Amino acid sequence: MTPRGLILGLDVSPKRIGWAIVNYDNGYHVAHGVQHVVGDDDLRARRLAFAEIARGADARGDVCAVILEDAYVGVSRRGTITHAVSVGNVEAWAAARWPDQLVVRLAPASWRAAVGLPVRGKGGVLEWAERVCGVVSQDEADAMGVAAAGFALVWEE
C-alpha cells in the first residue's frame, strides 16, 4: 500500500525544533517554522514544544512519516550528548504519537545528498530552502531539507 499524507521533517536541537511539512501526494511544501523550547531545556519543555508541532501537523492532514536529522557529533562531549538526548526524545514522542507511521533519522550528509546539496557544511542549505519555499532560518532550512529527503525515501518504499 502506498502511503498518503504529510511528511514532517524535524531539525532538533536542545533549545529549538525546526520543522517543515511536505505533502507526500504531490511533493509540495505545506508549512515550516521553528518551535522554541522555553525554559532550561528540561524534558517537559521539549515535550511541550514537540506537542505544539505535532498538533499543527495533525491539523494540516494525516502524517505518514516523520524524518529527523540525526544528532550532530561535535567536539564537545556534553554538547553532543545533550543534542543526542534531544533528538532521541523527539524521535520517541513521534513514534508514540504516530505508531503506525515511518519515523526515521537521516544523517546530515544523507539528506543533503538526497536533495542535491553539498554533503559537508551548511553551505547552500539556506539558499536552497529560501528559493524552494521562502524559508529564512537555518533551523527551518535544515527541517525542509530533511522533509524533502524524507519524501524521496518514502517515495522509494
Side-chain angles (χ1 to χ4, degrees):
M1 182 175 132
T2 303
R4 314 279 309 168
L6 305 175
I7 296 173
L8 175 61
L10 299 171
D11 176 32
V12 179
S13 72
K15 290 292 185 182
R16 60 194 168 279
I17 304 171
W19 59 271
I21 300 171
V22 172
N23 186 332
Y24 175 78
D25 297 329
N26 57 25
Y28 291 115
H29 163 260
V30 174
H32 63 269
V34 175
Q35 186 68 37
H36 294 273
V37 176
V38 180
D40 294 329
D41 183 38
D42 64 13
L43 191 61
R44 184 174 184 277
R46 194 175 312 118
R47 185 177 200 139
L48 290 172
F50 170 74
E52 188 67 27
I53 293 167
R55 275 192 297 278
D58 285 337
R60 289 176 170 87
D62 294 326
V63 174
C64 70
V66 179
I67 316 298
L68 299 96
E69 181 179 58
D70 206 355
Y72 171 74
V73 178
V75 177
S76 162
R77 185 182 312 172
R78 180 181 174 156
T80 297
I81 292 169
T82 302
H83 192 208
V85 167
S86 299
V87 173
N89 290 152
V90 173
E91 180 181 32
W93 296 327
R97 176 109 183 190
W98 298 289
D100 297 327
Q101 306 309 333
L102 179 67
V103 177
V104 297
R105 293 186 194 193
L106 289 179
S110 296
W111 72 254
R112 288 185 184 123
V115 297
L117 293 168
V119 295
R120 297 204 188 285
K122 294 284 186 185
V125 176
L126 188 55
E127 294 82 7
W128 168 81
E130 187 173 17
R131 188 175 64 252
V132 169
C133 58
V135 165
V136 296
S137 82
Q138 190 67 53
D139 296 309
E140 293 169 298
D142 287 353
M144 186 61 205
V146 170
F151 176 79
L153 176 73
V154 173
W155 186 264
E156 291 173 357
E157 289 191 351

